Amino acid sequence: RDRVVPHTRPRPRTRGGRFGGFAGSAALVFIALALGATPLLAPPADLSDVSIERAVEHVGVIASEPHPMGTAANARVRDYLIATLAGMQLEPRVQTVEVPDYFGVPGNTVEIANVMARIGGTVSDRAILLMAHYDSVDTTPGANDNAAAVAALLEVGRTLAADPPPQDVIVLFTDGEEPNPRFGASAFRDHPWFDDVGLAVNFEGIGRAGPSLLVEINGPAGALVDRLVRAVQDPVAFSFLTLTTDLIGGAISDFDVLRSTDIPGYSFAYARDSSIYHTHLDAPATLNVEGMAHHAALARGIARDFGSLALEPGDSGAVFFTLPGRLVVRYGGELAFGSALVAVAAIGWVLARRMKSGETSIRRLTTGTGMAFAGLIVVAVAGAGLWLAIGAVRRGMGVVESYIWLVALAAGATACWHLLWRWSRRSGPDLAAGVAVVWATLAALTGLPAPALGYLFAWPAITASVALAVLSLSRHRVAELAALAVVTLPTAIVLVPAIDTYFQFALPRPGNPDSELLAAIAVPLLLVILAVGLIQATWEWAEAGRAT
């Protein structure tokens, strides 16, 4: 008996062991967050044939002052574009149309002018349209919105004119984008070149940092993403973003006009720190040079590598997301639905094991699930209310300040969740099991109707079951840390881009209050608490196993 008892008792932990476990776990979380954030950084662009310095000079000229449609300042920009295209030995075309004077006298009309040029290709069965608007609103010089995209296309057009691409390329600079009717893009539908367009690519900027994200797709998503990944070295694409943009009715850009046609295409934009959007701060001094370079890399890659514009019918429910290292994972809706089923089955297996071992019961599971749902709702609502108050006071917060607020809100939400967790451990509800049920529920609810979003819940749920399998094989500290890594790394890699992107939706935009979605802060806070809950559940399973 003396030889058996020491092995059946929990091993006492020294202070050093506890500190070592905490330090290892904290380091793991930090590494996971850093990895998850890497796809959100503007990639280094290999642009040996494109002069970013010249593009910066273009921005300085175009965005030297506000230039809304119908003004002398906008006419100056139009003349500059015409002269620059002519200097590339291209033949600029101008399409003019009379439209309501949106920024001037009500009832009057003004003339807007689309500026375009066509670069002949070596195959030339259809044309690729590269487009960006060159007008601004009357409150901003519009360096990022949208002189950066115009400058990027000017430089890409220069390289294509010197070395013709496979397909014809139409470089289109639209006027009158800022009013809701999208006057310039709408007018281009009546231009003879419109019927030749086989692929359309739009570029925008509504912030001053970050990569050029794929925000919209028109056409077969699976086929288009496959072609994009083959054509471009560093795409940043997430299906949850394109689905969200589609659900809210588009990103409110020239691409809206193309969405109503059968022309396949992409819309790219960078959006970090959108508090400068439509304000005087959107000036050349705040230009996102890395984002502009990413615009150029995307435009050049698409124009050069689309040898044929024929697209195979794709899966409209395609799932795709960018991993660290710029690897884009993509698969169809059937696999997405299958992964959701696996997630639900895996969570069911986890809960069955806990009930079989006596670690939980139906009653504790039910009350824990109710507590988990209620806790998530309360934290999200409280966080949204606090953010609405902060956003009303801090209208022009910059990049650093906005992330400080995000970290503070996430830390506060995590602290509240931890208090709820501690109370549940004393009062009886199995909150760990409840969190697992929440994940399974979300995976099930999104797996079939919205697979483009559902992967956010399916893969972390699956990895949690793998972690429990690891814990069932060994209770050694190394095994516990491995189990924690199995949950933490995939969860952070999948969720951090979604947390950051939905946070951008929730930022104040004093220059355009109509586009504000401050209450959207509830979404990133919910994702934070879901991730914390899943990781904490894994930790509790490890502790429970150690105690037995």
Side-chain angles (χ1 to χ4, degrees):
R1 293 178 62 87
D2 290 342
R3 288 193 297 272
V4 173
V5 170
H7 292 282
T8 60
R9 291 176 179 171
R11 185 190 309 171
R13 294 282 179 139
T14 64
R15 292 185 63 183
R18 287 197 300 270
F19 176 77
F22 173 78
S25 302
L28 178 62
V29 171
F30 179 80
I31 292 171
L33 292 175
L35 285 173
T38 53
L40 300 172
L41 303 176
D46 180 14
L47 295 170
S48 56
D49 57 344
V50 174
S51 173
I52 296 302
E53 292 77 12
R54 190 183 293 117
V56 172
E57 293 175 1
H58 290 320
V59 172
V61 175
I62 297 169
S64 60
E65 60 182 328
H67 46 283
M69 67 173 200
T71 63
N74 203 39
R76 175 189 61 79
V77 175
R78 177 197 63 211
D79 293 342
Y80 178 77
L81 296 177
I82 293 172
T84 303
L85 290 171
M88 301 176 188
Q89 308 304 312
L90 296 175
E91 298 181 9
R93 303 285 185 90
V94 179
Q95 178 193 21
T96 60
V97 63
E98 290 288 324
V99 300
D101 188 3
Y102 187 85
F103 294 103
V105 179
N108 284 4
T109 61
V110 295
E111 184 180 81
I112 65 166
N114 291 333
V115 179
M116 66 196 82
R118 186 161 184 161
I119 303 166
T122 58
V123 177
S124 301
D125 54 345
R126 299 296 297 277
I128 296 175
L129 175 67
L130 303 178
M131 61 188 296
H133 74 89
Y134 70 87
D135 61 309
S136 75
V137 296
D138 57 355
T139 56
T140 180
N144 293 287
D145 179 27
N146 197 34
V150 172
L153 295 189
L154 280 174
E155 284 308 298
V156 170
R158 184 185 301 277
T159 68
L160 297 177
D163 182 13
Q167 302 290 332
D168 279 15
V169 172
I170 300 170
V171 179
L172 170 65
F173 303 116
T174 62
D175 193 4
E177 186 272 350
E178 292 298 349
N180 196 42
R182 315 298 167 205
F183 293 127
S186 298
F188 182 67
R189 295 184 63 173
D190 297 325
H191 192 277
W193 287 357
F194 180 81
D195 293 333
D196 298 334
V197 175
L199 180 75
V201 191
N202 184 60
F203 295 91
E204 274 278 3
I206 63 172
R208 59 175 167 182
S212 184
L213 295 163
L214 176 61
V215 295
E216 291 185 89
I217 289 180
N218 194 47
L224 283 166
V225 173
D226 284 345
R227 292 293 300 273
L228 178 67
V229 171
R230 293 201 300 268
V232 178
Q233 184 177 2
D234 292 309
V236 183
F238 301 97
S239 57
F240 75 81
L241 175 56
T242 57
L243 174 64
T244 302
T245 306
D246 187 58
L247 291 175
I248 64 176
I252 314 178
S253 70
D254 277 340
F255 199 70
D256 292 351
V257 176
L258 297 173
R259 283 163 55 90
S260 61
T261 71
D262 59 357
I263 298 175
Y266 313 95
S267 184
F268 298 94
Y270 58 79
R272 190 159 298 129
D273 190 16
S274 61
S275 63
I276 71 165
Y277 180 54
H278 285 185
T279 72
H280 69 283
L281 295 175
D282 188 9
T286 62
L287 174 65
N288 179 9
V289 178
E290 293 80 10
M292 180 176 65
H294 198 199
H295 275 340
L298 292 167
R300 187 192 62 176
I302 291 171
R304 290 217 175 276
D305 292 337
F306 272 65
S308 170
L309 296 183
L311 294 172
E312 296 295 329
D315 186 348
S316 60
V319 176
F320 51 90
F321 50 95
T322 304
L323 295 177
R326 307 295 173 185
L327 172 66
V328 180
V329 175
R330 52 201 188 277
Y331 52 87
E334 291 182 359
L335 181 57
F337 181 60
S339 65
L341 291 180
V342 171
V344 173
I347 291 295
W349 174 77
V350 169
L351 298 178
R353 280 181 59 88
R354 287 179 63 80
M355 284 191 285
K356 184 177 180 180
S357 64
E359 296 174 69
T360 191
S361 64
I362 294 295
R363 177 178 172 276
R364 293 186 63 213
L365 174 62
T366 303
T367 55
T369 300
M371 181 179 290
F373 275 110
L376 287 167
I377 293 172
V378 169
V379 168
V381 171
L386 183 58
W387 180 244
L388 286 170
I390 295 170
V393 176
R394 296 296 305 153
R395 300 290 295 157
M397 63 181 71
V399 176
V400 175
E401 182 186 351
S402 67
Y403 280 109
I404 290 174
W405 284 118
L406 176 61
V407 171
L409 288 171
T414 301
C416 293
W417 182 262
H418 184 66
L419 291 176
L420 178 64
W421 199 287
R422 292 185 62 181
W423 180 81
S424 71
R425 296 184 71 174
R426 292 195 302 268
S427 60
D430 188 349
L431 191 56
V435 168
V437 172
V438 171
W439 276 93
T441 302
L442 291 172
L445 291 178
T446 57
L448 184 59
L453 180 68
Y455 79 91
L456 296 175
F457 309 110
W459 293 114
I462 292 171
T463 59
S465 65
V466 174
L468 188 61
V470 171
L471 291 172
S472 68
L473 297 175
S474 173
R475 297 297 178 180
H476 192 275
R477 167 57 65 183
V478 174
E480 292 174 5
L481 195 59
L484 195 62
V486 167
V487 175
T488 305
L489 290 172
T491 300
I493 288 171
V494 168
L495 290 188
V496 166
I499 291 169
D500 180 81
T501 302
Y502 286 122
F503 179 59
Q504 303 310 314
F505 277 90
L507 285 178
R509 294 178 184 168
N512 192 259
D514 291 343
S515 67
E516 285 186 352
L517 295 170
L518 294 179
I521 191 68
V523 178
L525 289 181
L526 279 172
L527 294 177
V528 167
I529 297 305
L530 282 168
V532 169
L534 194 63
I535 294 169
Q536 198 161 4
T538 305
W539 190 267
E540 182 164 302
W541 295 333
E543 286 187 336
R546 192 186 310 126
T548 56

